[in-house]
Amino acid sequence: MLMDRQQHISEFLRTRRERLTPKQAGLTRASGRRRTAGLRREEVALLAGISVHYYAKMERGNLDGVSRQVLESLITALQLAGDEAHHLRALAAPQAEAITPTAIGSLRPSLQRLLECITEIPAWFLDDQLTWHGGNALANVIHRNFLDNTMNKRNIARYVLTDPNAKKHYLDWSKVADVNAAFLRGSLAKYPHDRKLADLVAELSAASEEFRERWIRHDVCSHRVGRLRWWLVEVGELNVGLENFPVAAEPGLTLHTATPEPGSPTEERLRQLAARLS
């Protein structure tokens, strides 16, 4: 099922409102019996400088005709930043401006050669659906269980949320699952008419309670830097920093790299793995 834009807008605004307390919003005089710890609609309207009726219309999922100034005021009122602010702007964009992802097939020879030239750290390509498009020798070894299981269809999100091996592979599995669900949420706002992406979300929703629990939070994130811990039988724990590089000539394709701290046990373990592959 394709994205119901109004429903996504409504649920995103509601969940952002309900997580923000009056104290966090600077409403020190907020009073009266409260059903939830979060803000009331009238309080969001006050903070954004708009009428309660207008905000209620927005929270019902109608952002048509909302000015940039009002949208930015709402972003400030709800204390949205980074990925969340970008997500709301994407949801508010006129549907005529909606884009579709570029079809990505086999890696171009130059990109494949790039992977082959990176020999000391894992490197791999993912698209905006978290589908794997190729890795270097180290990345392929580290992701062996993922790549060998044809049921994963080379999709990282499908692996993380439905393959039992993922909980052994990722030492911080819950955080990885959070990020995967949040990334797909952002992608669906970016590509609301992408049938393949909508089908993936529907499949994960049907197959994984843990995905459903995360999906309804309406958290969003993009490819970004961070840390990741893998477990490999051959060498034990690998603790790496992630860096991501969008490929300008292939919109939607991103190069991921995993770098150990200099002099760390992970650096030595990656060196051992690389030596076995040479």
Side-chain angles (χ1 to χ4, degrees), residues 42-51 55 58 69-70 72-78:
E42 55 266 32
E43 291 168 335
V44 175
L46 174 65
L47 291 166
I50 58 179
S51 71
Y55 175 70
M58 296 167 75
Q69 181 180 359
V70 169
E72 294 303 316
S73 295
L74 182 58
I75 287 171
T76 300
L78 293 173

Side-chain angles (χ1 to χ4, degrees), residues 73-120:
S73 295
L74 182 58
I75 287 171
T76 300
L78 293 173
Q79 299 184 13
L80 307 182
D83 293 332
E84 290 188 332
H86 179 76
H87 181 67
L88 184 57
R89 294 185 188 109
L91 288 172
Q95 291 300 282
E97 298 179 10
I99 59 176
T100 56
T102 301
I104 301 172
S106 300
L107 286 180
R108 287 185 285 110
S110 58
L111 294 179
Q112 186 61 52
R113 178 60 180 156
L114 172 63
L115 287 177
E116 293 169 358
C117 290
I118 302 174
T119 59
E120 296 184 357

Side-chain angles (χ1 to χ4, degrees), residues 10 36 42 45 79 90 93 103 123 194 198 217 220 242 265 268:
S10 176
T36 67
E42 55 266 32
Q79 299 184 13
D194 181 11
R217 297 175 193 167
V220 292
L242 294 178
E268 176 58 30

